[in-house]
Amino acid sequence: MLAKTIIRFVVVVLCVYGVLTLGWNGFGRAYSQCFRTALAVVFEGESGFRTVEIPIDQPAAATTRLVIVNRRLLSPDGSGPVRNVDIPSSTFWNATALFIALALATPRRWVLRVAFTAAGTLVIQLFIAICVWLGLWLQSRHLGLRLVSAKWDATSDRLQDVMIEQGVLVVPCLLWLLGFWLFKARWPMAGVDS
């Protein structure tokens, strides 16, 4: 019975993840649009001497570009150095889809699955917001906006890469495992635990 449940879980995870990421690319495009809108609400605008803009024309559907400007370095005609920060919104969608697939495939009652999926998806988006904030903060140093010593440049770039490329895939799995562990004692697995 346990082997059957595990096989069913793996098949459902693969199917849901496949549908969300490969089956129809409209999910990814919709996520990118929502992602850009959320970034505009949260990050766009002026903060101290830094201005963050999200251009209407983006480099690709799966990438979101943010432009950082240090207003102190701008000349009177508005020209000056800027920093383009390209964020892989498709990677963030893959992390969200992975968590959704894991949560929906978990053998629990449907009400719990849906509630856990919704709550966990919000936590994943919070982690993604932290990744974006950190990326903006670290990239601002190239315009003299943050005091990060030159000896920490390579380390800070590596930290940003790890959080975006690997962290967004590890965090959904850890969050799912934490939720699975927390709910195991309270709510038995549907069709497995008695």
PDB file of all heavy atoms in Angstrom, residues 12-33:
ATOM      1  N   VAL A  12       1.891  11.921  -9.931  1.00  0.00           N
ATOM      2  CA  VAL A  12       1.103  13.159  -9.858  1.00  0.00           C
ATOM      3  C   VAL A  12       2.011  14.384  -9.858  1.00  0.00           C
ATOM      4  O   VAL A  12       1.736  15.377 -10.542  1.00  0.00           O
ATOM      5  CB  VAL A  12       0.157  13.152  -8.633  1.00  0.00           C
ATOM      6  CG1 VAL A  12      -0.512  14.504  -8.435  1.00  0.00           C
ATOM      7  CG2 VAL A  12      -0.894  12.064  -8.781  1.00  0.00           C
ATOM      8  N   VAL A  13       3.120  14.340  -9.100  1.00  0.00           N
ATOM      9  CA  VAL A  13       4.064  15.462  -9.091  1.00  0.00           C
ATOM     10  C   VAL A  13       4.588  15.724 -10.499  1.00  0.00           C
ATOM     11  O   VAL A  13       4.591  16.870 -10.967  1.00  0.00           O
ATOM     12  CB  VAL A  13       5.242  15.205  -8.115  1.00  0.00           C
ATOM     13  CG1 VAL A  13       6.369  16.201  -8.343  1.00  0.00           C
ATOM     14  CG2 VAL A  13       4.778  15.286  -6.677  1.00  0.00           C
ATOM     15  N   LEU A  14       5.030  14.684 -11.176  1.00  0.00           N
ATOM     16  CA  LEU A  14       5.569  14.850 -12.527  1.00  0.00           C
ATOM     17  C   LEU A  14       4.516  15.385 -13.491  1.00  0.00           C
ATOM     18  O   LEU A  14       4.809  16.262 -14.325  1.00  0.00           O
ATOM     19  CB  LEU A  14       6.149  13.534 -13.038  1.00  0.00           C
ATOM     20  CG  LEU A  14       7.411  13.047 -12.318  1.00  0.00           C
ATOM     21  CD1 LEU A  14       7.813  11.666 -12.827  1.00  0.00           C
ATOM     22  CD2 LEU A  14       8.555  14.034 -12.491  1.00  0.00           C
ATOM     23  N   CYS A  15       3.299  14.889 -13.393  1.00  0.00           N
ATOM     24  CA  CYS A  15       2.229  15.337 -14.295  1.00  0.00           C
ATOM     25  C   CYS A  15       1.855  16.801 -14.031  1.00  0.00           C
ATOM     26  O   CYS A  15       1.771  17.596 -14.970  1.00  0.00           O
ATOM     27  CB  CYS A  15       1.004  14.446 -14.157  1.00  0.00           C
ATOM     28  SG  CYS A  15       1.234  12.805 -14.861  1.00  0.00           S
ATOM     29  N   VAL A  16       1.643  17.154 -12.769  1.00  0.00           N
ATOM     30  CA  VAL A  16       1.262  18.532 -12.449  1.00  0.00           C
ATOM     31  C   VAL A  16       2.392  19.493 -12.809  1.00  0.00           C
ATOM     32  O   VAL A  16       2.166  20.532 -13.440  1.00  0.00           O
ATOM     33  CB  VAL A  16       0.865  18.672 -10.955  1.00  0.00           C
ATOM     34  CG1 VAL A  16       0.666  20.133 -10.572  1.00  0.00           C
ATOM     35  CG2 VAL A  16      -0.389  17.873 -10.657  1.00  0.00           C
ATOM     36  N   TYR A  17       3.615  19.140 -12.452  1.00  0.00           N
ATOM     37  CA  TYR A  17       4.755  19.999 -12.777  1.00  0.00           C
ATOM     38  C   TYR A  17       4.926  20.119 -14.289  1.00  0.00           C
ATOM     39  O   TYR A  17       5.176  21.206 -14.812  1.00  0.00           O
ATOM     40  CB  TYR A  17       6.033  19.452 -12.128  1.00  0.00           C
ATOM     41  CG  TYR A  17       7.237  20.335 -12.341  1.00  0.00           C
ATOM     42  CD1 TYR A  17       7.365  21.524 -11.643  1.00  0.00           C
ATOM     43  CD2 TYR A  17       8.235  19.980 -13.232  1.00  0.00           C
ATOM     44  CE1 TYR A  17       8.463  22.350 -11.824  1.00  0.00           C
ATOM     45  CE2 TYR A  17       9.335  20.792 -13.417  1.00  0.00           C
ATOM     46  CZ  TYR A  17       9.448  21.979 -12.721  1.00  0.00           C
ATOM     47  OH  TYR A  17      10.529  22.792 -12.904  1.00  0.00           O
ATOM     48  N   GLY A  18       4.768  19.002 -14.987  1.00  0.00           N
ATOM     49  CA  GLY A  18       4.880  19.029 -16.443  1.00  0.00           C
ATOM     50  C   GLY A  18       3.822  19.905 -17.094  1.00  0.00           C
ATOM     51  O   GLY A  18       4.115  20.678 -18.009  1.00  0.00           O
ATOM     52  N   VAL A  19       2.597  19.801 -16.619  1.00  0.00           N
ATOM     53  CA  VAL A  19       1.516  20.639 -17.175  1.00  0.00           C
ATOM     54  C   VAL A  19       1.789  22.112 -16.898  1.00  0.00           C
ATOM     55  O   VAL A  19       1.626  22.963 -17.778  1.00  0.00           O
ATOM     56  CB  VAL A  19       0.147  20.208 -16.606  1.00  0.00           C
ATOM     57  CG1 VAL A  19      -0.925  21.252 -16.890  1.00  0.00           C
ATOM     58  CG2 VAL A  19      -0.276  18.865 -17.173  1.00  0.00           C
ATOM     59  N   LEU A  20       2.211  22.426 -15.687  1.00  0.00           N
ATOM     60  CA  LEU A  20       2.431  23.827 -15.317  1.00  0.00           C
ATOM     61  C   LEU A  20       3.634  24.448 -16.030  1.00  0.00           C
ATOM     62  O   LEU A  20       3.628  25.644 -16.328  1.00  0.00           O
ATOM     63  CB  LEU A  20       2.606  23.959 -13.804  1.00  0.00           C
ATOM     64  CG  LEU A  20       1.360  23.686 -12.960  1.00  0.00           C
ATOM     65  CD1 LEU A  20       1.701  23.738 -11.482  1.00  0.00           C
ATOM     66  CD2 LEU A  20       0.253  24.667 -13.288  1.00  0.00           C
ATOM     67  N   THR A  21       4.674  23.666 -16.279  1.00  0.00           N
ATOM     68  CA  THR A  21       5.892  24.250 -16.867  1.00  0.00           C
ATOM     69  C   THR A  21       6.063  23.951 -18.349  1.00  0.00           C
ATOM     70  O   THR A  21       6.631  24.759 -19.083  1.00  0.00           O
ATOM     71  CB  THR A  21       7.145  23.761 -16.126  1.00  0.00           C
ATOM     72  OG1 THR A  21       7.197  22.335 -16.176  1.00  0.00           O
ATOM     73  CG2 THR A  21       7.148  24.240 -14.690  1.00  0.00           C
ATOM     74  N   LEU A  22       5.611  22.789 -18.791  1.00  0.00           N
ATOM     75  CA  LEU A  22       5.824  22.408 -20.190  1.00  0.00           C
ATOM     76  C   LEU A  22       4.542  22.328 -21.007  1.00  0.00           C
ATOM     77  O   LEU A  22       4.558  22.525 -22.213  1.00  0.00           O
ATOM     78  CB  LEU A  22       6.530  21.045 -20.256  1.00  0.00           C
ATOM     79  CG  LEU A  22       7.869  20.942 -19.552  1.00  0.00           C
ATOM     80  CD1 LEU A  22       8.352  19.500 -19.540  1.00  0.00           C
ATOM     81  CD2 LEU A  22       8.890  21.843 -20.210  1.00  0.00           C
ATOM     82  N   GLY A  23       3.449  21.994 -20.338  1.00  0.00           N
ATOM     83  CA  GLY A  23       2.206  21.730 -21.044  1.00  0.00           C
ATOM     84  C   GLY A  23       1.641  22.928 -21.779  1.00  0.00           C
ATOM     85  O   GLY A  23       1.196  22.829 -22.911  1.00  0.00           O
ATOM     86  N   TRP A  24       1.635  24.077 -21.139  1.00  0.00           N
ATOM     87  CA  TRP A  24       1.115  25.288 -21.757  1.00  0.00           C
ATOM     88  C   TRP A  24       1.944  26.444 -21.257  1.00  0.00           C
ATOM     89  O   TRP A  24       1.968  26.730 -20.062  1.00  0.00           O
ATOM     90  CB  TRP A  24      -0.362  25.462 -21.408  1.00  0.00           C
ATOM     91  CG  TRP A  24      -0.994  26.659 -22.028  1.00  0.00           C
ATOM     92  CD1 TRP A  24      -0.992  27.000 -23.355  1.00  0.00           C
ATOM     93  CD2 TRP A  24      -1.689  27.703 -21.354  1.00  0.00           C
ATOM     94  NE1 TRP A  24      -1.663  28.172 -23.544  1.00  0.00           N
ATOM     95  CE2 TRP A  24      -2.115  28.631 -22.327  1.00  0.00           C
ATOM     96  CE3 TRP A  24      -2.017  27.938 -20.029  1.00  0.00           C
ATOM     97  CZ2 TRP A  24      -2.829  29.769 -22.025  1.00  0.00           C
ATOM     98  CZ3 TRP A  24      -2.740  29.073 -19.723  1.00  0.00           C
ATOM     99  CH2 TRP A  24      -3.140  29.975 -20.715  1.00  0.00           C
ATOM    100  N   ASN A  25       2.640  27.128 -22.139  1.00  0.00           N
ATOM    101  CA  ASN A  25       3.530  28.201 -21.698  1.00  0.00           C
ATOM    102  C   ASN A  25       2.768  29.454 -21.263  1.00  0.00           C
ATOM    103  O   ASN A  25       3.360  30.413 -20.808  1.00  0.00           O
ATOM    104  CB  ASN A  25       4.584  28.530 -22.744  1.00  0.00           C
ATOM    105  CG  ASN A  25       3.978  28.987 -24.053  1.00  0.00           C
ATOM    106  OD1 ASN A  25       2.765  29.112 -24.188  1.00  0.00           O
ATOM    107  ND2 ASN A  25       4.816  29.229 -25.030  1.00  0.00           N
ATOM    108  N   GLY A  26       1.441  29.427 -21.374  1.00  0.00           N
ATOM    109  CA  GLY A  26       0.630  30.542 -20.889  1.00  0.00           C
ATOM    110  C   GLY A  26       0.733  30.719 -19.386  1.00  0.00           C
ATOM    111  O   GLY A  26       0.613  31.831 -18.875  1.00  0.00           O
ATOM    112  N   PHE A  27       0.940  29.614 -18.649  1.00  0.00           N
ATOM    113  CA  PHE A  27       1.122  29.721 -17.199  1.00  0.00           C
ATOM    114  C   PHE A  27       2.357  30.562 -16.884  1.00  0.00           C
ATOM    115  O   PHE A  27       2.323  31.444 -16.032  1.00  0.00           O
ATOM    116  CB  PHE A  27       1.271  28.343 -16.557  1.00  0.00           C
ATOM    117  CG  PHE A  27       0.020  27.525 -16.546  1.00  0.00           C
ATOM    118  CD1 PHE A  27       0.005  26.271 -17.137  1.00  0.00           C
ATOM    119  CD2 PHE A  27      -1.147  27.986 -15.946  1.00  0.00           C
ATOM    120  CE1 PHE A  27      -1.145  25.494 -17.123  1.00  0.00           C
ATOM    121  CE2 PHE A  27      -2.297  27.221 -15.934  1.00  0.00           C
ATOM    122  CZ  PHE A  27      -2.294  25.970 -16.520  1.00  0.00           C
ATOM    123  N   GLY A  28       3.446  30.262 -17.564  1.00  0.00           N
ATOM    124  CA  GLY A  28       4.692  31.003 -17.348  1.00  0.00           C
ATOM    125  C   GLY A  28       4.569  32.468 -17.742  1.00  0.00           C
ATOM    126  O   GLY A  28       5.078  33.353 -17.054  1.00  0.00           O
ATOM    127  N   ARG A  29       3.889  32.738 -18.860  1.00  0.00           N
ATOM    128  CA  ARG A  29       3.699  34.130 -19.284  1.00  0.00           C
ATOM    129  C   ARG A  29       2.834  34.894 -18.287  1.00  0.00           C
ATOM    130  O   ARG A  29       3.124  36.033 -17.949  1.00  0.00           O
ATOM    131  CB  ARG A  29       3.070  34.181 -20.673  1.00  0.00           C
ATOM    132  CG  ARG A  29       4.091  34.009 -21.785  1.00  0.00           C
ATOM    133  CD  ARG A  29       3.424  34.251 -23.086  1.00  0.00           C
ATOM    134  NE  ARG A  29       2.311  33.288 -23.177  1.00  0.00           N
ATOM    135  CZ  ARG A  29       1.955  32.649 -24.266  1.00  0.00           C
ATOM    136  NH1 ARG A  29       2.575  32.885 -25.377  1.00  0.00           N
ATOM    137  NH2 ARG A  29       0.972  31.797 -24.261  1.00  0.00           N
ATOM    138  N   ALA A  30       1.763  34.246 -17.821  1.00  0.00           N
ATOM    139  CA  ALA A  30       0.889  34.886 -16.833  1.00  0.00           C
ATOM    140  C   ALA A  30       1.663  35.169 -15.547  1.00  0.00           C
ATOM    141  O   ALA A  30       1.516  36.242 -14.944  1.00  0.00           O
ATOM    142  CB  ALA A  30      -0.325  34.005 -16.548  1.00  0.00           C
ATOM    143  N   TYR A  31       2.497  34.209 -15.126  1.00  0.00           N
ATOM    144  CA  TYR A  31       3.301  34.418 -13.929  1.00  0.00           C
ATOM    145  C   TYR A  31       4.254  35.592 -14.142  1.00  0.00           C
ATOM    146  O   TYR A  31       4.417  36.431 -13.253  1.00  0.00           O
ATOM    147  CB  TYR A  31       4.088  33.160 -13.567  1.00  0.00           C
ATOM    148  CG  TYR A  31       4.907  33.338 -12.318  1.00  0.00           C
ATOM    149  CD1 TYR A  31       4.334  33.149 -11.063  1.00  0.00           C
ATOM    150  CD2 TYR A  31       6.244  33.723 -12.377  1.00  0.00           C
ATOM    151  CE1 TYR A  31       5.073  33.340  -9.899  1.00  0.00           C
ATOM    152  CE2 TYR A  31       6.982  33.914 -11.232  1.00  0.00           C
ATOM    153  CZ  TYR A  31       6.405  33.719 -10.000  1.00  0.00           C
ATOM    154  OH  TYR A  31       7.131  33.918  -8.857  1.00  0.00           O
ATOM    155  N   SER A  32       4.906  35.670 -15.313  1.00  0.00           N
ATOM    156  CA  SER A  32       5.838  36.767 -15.584  1.00  0.00           C
ATOM    157  C   SER A  32       5.133  38.118 -15.519  1.00  0.00           C
ATOM    158  O   SER A  32       5.680  39.086 -14.977  1.00  0.00           O
ATOM    159  CB  SER A  32       6.492  36.589 -16.958  1.00  0.00           C
ATOM    160  OG  SER A  32       7.408  35.541 -16.929  1.00  0.00           O
ATOM    161  N   GLN A  33       3.920  38.193 -16.061  1.00  0.00           N
ATOM    162  CA  GLN A  33       3.168  39.450 -16.008  1.00  0.00           C
ATOM    163  C   GLN A  33       2.830  39.819 -14.560  1.00  0.00           C
ATOM    164  O   GLN A  33       2.996  40.967 -14.146  1.00  0.00           O
ATOM    165  CB  GLN A  33       1.886  39.345 -16.840  1.00  0.00           C
ATOM    166  CG  GLN A  33       2.142  39.343 -18.333  1.00  0.00           C
ATOM    167  CD  GLN A  33       2.818  40.619 -18.809  1.00  0.00           C
ATOM    168  OE1 GLN A  33       2.668  41.681 -18.237  1.00  0.00           O
ATOM    169  NE2 GLN A  33       3.621  40.500 -19.850  1.00  0.00           N
TER     170      GLN A  33
END
